[in-house]
Amino acid sequence: MTGISAYLPPLGGLMMIAALAVSILHEFTGETSLAVAAGLFTGIGMGAFWPGLAWSRRVFVLIGLVLLAWLALTREDWTPAALAAIQRAGFIAAFFTAMTTMRAAATGSAAIIACGRYLAGQPPGRRYLALTLGGHLFGLILLYGAIALLGSLATEAADREPDPKIRRHRTRRMLVAIQRGFISTLAWSPLTFASAITLTLVPGASWAGAAPYCVVSALLLAGIGWILDSIFKPRLATPPPRGRPDGPWLTRLRPLLVLLAVLLAAVGVVHLLTGMRVFGAVMTVVPVIAMVWVAFQPGSGTGIGRVGRRTGDF
């Protein structure tokens, strides 16, 4: 990049962080102007990112602009609807930015990667359930990054199998298990975009009210996937040898479980103490936990220095 175009991606990043900051203030205060400001920051950020986007991404922005223009041309009272759309755009961008901070912190953690390798290295018979569970737990933290991280670790583990037929079947089943585990998070987790966007758009909806039914949906998604895998898994003439997992589950998965416990507890405390909705508590808590986590990760320099460097990269 040369000239002014070199400054556009950093500007886009700053605008998304600004959208997150004012969205958090909006959740605390309820001030509508802050939600509108978040939407405007999001629009500027999208404009800054525009030159680096493929047309498959740009088309969604164009659709939004066309709908906005159609609204203005066909309705006299279009202003309130447009402002509502701008506010929701700001919220979605802020929520996305907040959750991406956790993904950025997690991908630099050797302990989290070790948890993924432990799950991918489970013996046949329990590997599918382990990776479904892993896809679910990792999905809570990394969102779509869980598929990339666990998928690469699963492929790495499968590549050690010398038989190409077994390796092909193993890779396919492992990747399907990860994806089904991740998909089941979308049904209930307050950390996912599916819940955040849907419950924001439905008037009067709340995460607490929907959670019991959503958890049932998540169990159905994961359970039916396991049943289908059990029915349709390939029957090999010579079953592969069964190994032993390296260490007890709770010990090896402790970093992931502790992180999830801290995250969910902090969200719950902020929600109960402030009265803000769950998704506002998520946006508030997640970036703070991500920065503290980065500060305590091994590396050169002080914790504050690491946070500064990683924030610049982010």
Side-chain angles (χ1 to χ4, degrees):
M1 289 187 179
T2 58
I4 193 172
S5 60
Y7 297 96
L8 291 179
L11 173 63
L14 287 174
M15 289 298 99
M16 294 302 170
I17 292 174
L20 172 60
V22 296
S23 292
I24 291 173
L25 291 176
H26 166 68
E27 294 293 334
F28 275 102
T29 65
E31 182 62 42
T32 303
S33 60
L34 292 172
V36 175
L40 295 177
F41 283 134
T42 299
I44 297 172
M46 290 166 63
F49 287 133
W50 177 272
L53 295 179
W55 274 104
S56 59
R57 272 63 169 176
R58 291 178 179 180
V59 68
F60 292 102
V61 180
L62 295 176
I63 290 172
L65 294 174
V66 169
L67 289 174
L68 187 61
W70 180 258
L71 175 69
L73 291 172
T74 58
R75 296 190 58 169
E76 293 182 0
D77 58 341
W78 66 275
T79 305
L83 288 175
I86 291 172
Q87 292 176 43
R88 287 169 180 165
F91 166 76
I92 293 169
F95 194 86
F96 181 88
T97 303
M99 295 309 303
T100 307
T101 63
M102 184 63 74
R103 185 172 66 186
T107 51
S109 171
I112 292 297
I113 294 175
C115 290
R117 283 203 171 95
Y118 174 76
L119 292 168
Q122 291 296 305
R126 71 180 68 179
R127 185 184 294 121
Y128 182 92
L129 283 177
L131 287 174
T132 300
L133 174 65
H136 193 90
L137 295 178
F138 274 82
L140 295 175
I141 298 175
L142 305 182
L143 297 181
Y144 301 100
I147 296 176
L149 176 61
L150 276 181
S152 63
L153 296 176
T155 304
E156 174 189 286
D159 285 344
R160 292 195 289 268
E161 170 58 51
D163 188 319
K165 184 177 181 180
I166 295 177
R167 183 168 62 247
R168 183 175 68 256
H169 288 305
R170 181 174 295 175
T171 301
R172 181 187 61 80
R173 292 179 64 203
M174 291 170 81
L175 294 179
V176 169
I178 293 167
Q179 292 175 24
R180 285 174 174 160
F182 167 74
I183 288 170
S184 64
T185 67
L186 304 181
W188 76 273
S189 172
L191 308 178
T192 61
F193 300 125
S195 296
I197 294 172
T198 303
L199 295 176
T200 298
L201 294 177
V202 177
S206 68
W207 179 82
Y213 308 99
C214 295
V215 168
V216 172
S217 297
L219 292 173
L220 287 172
L221 285 168
I224 292 172
W226 173 70
I227 292 172
L228 289 173
D229 179 79
S230 301
I231 295 173
F232 296 107
K233 66 181 179 182
R235 311 295 175 180
L236 301 173
T238 305
R242 293 177 177 266
R244 284 191 169 186
D246 183 17
W249 281 59
L250 289 179
T251 300
R252 296 302 302 272
L253 297 181
R254 183 182 299 157
L256 180 61
L257 297 175
V258 168
L259 177 62
L260 282 171
V262 170
L263 177 58
L264 295 176
V267 169
V269 168
V270 171
H271 170 63
L272 293 174
L273 291 181
T274 64
M276 72 166 60
R277 56 182 181 162
V278 171
F279 304 112
V282 169
M283 284 197 300
T284 304
V285 165
V286 166
V288 175
I289 292 179
M291 287 190 289
V292 172
W293 188 10
V294 168
F296 284 94
Q297 287 179 1
S300 58
T302 63
I304 295 176
R306 282 193 296 276
V307 171
R309 289 193 300 272
R310 295 287 289 278
T311 301
D313 293 340
F314 178 78

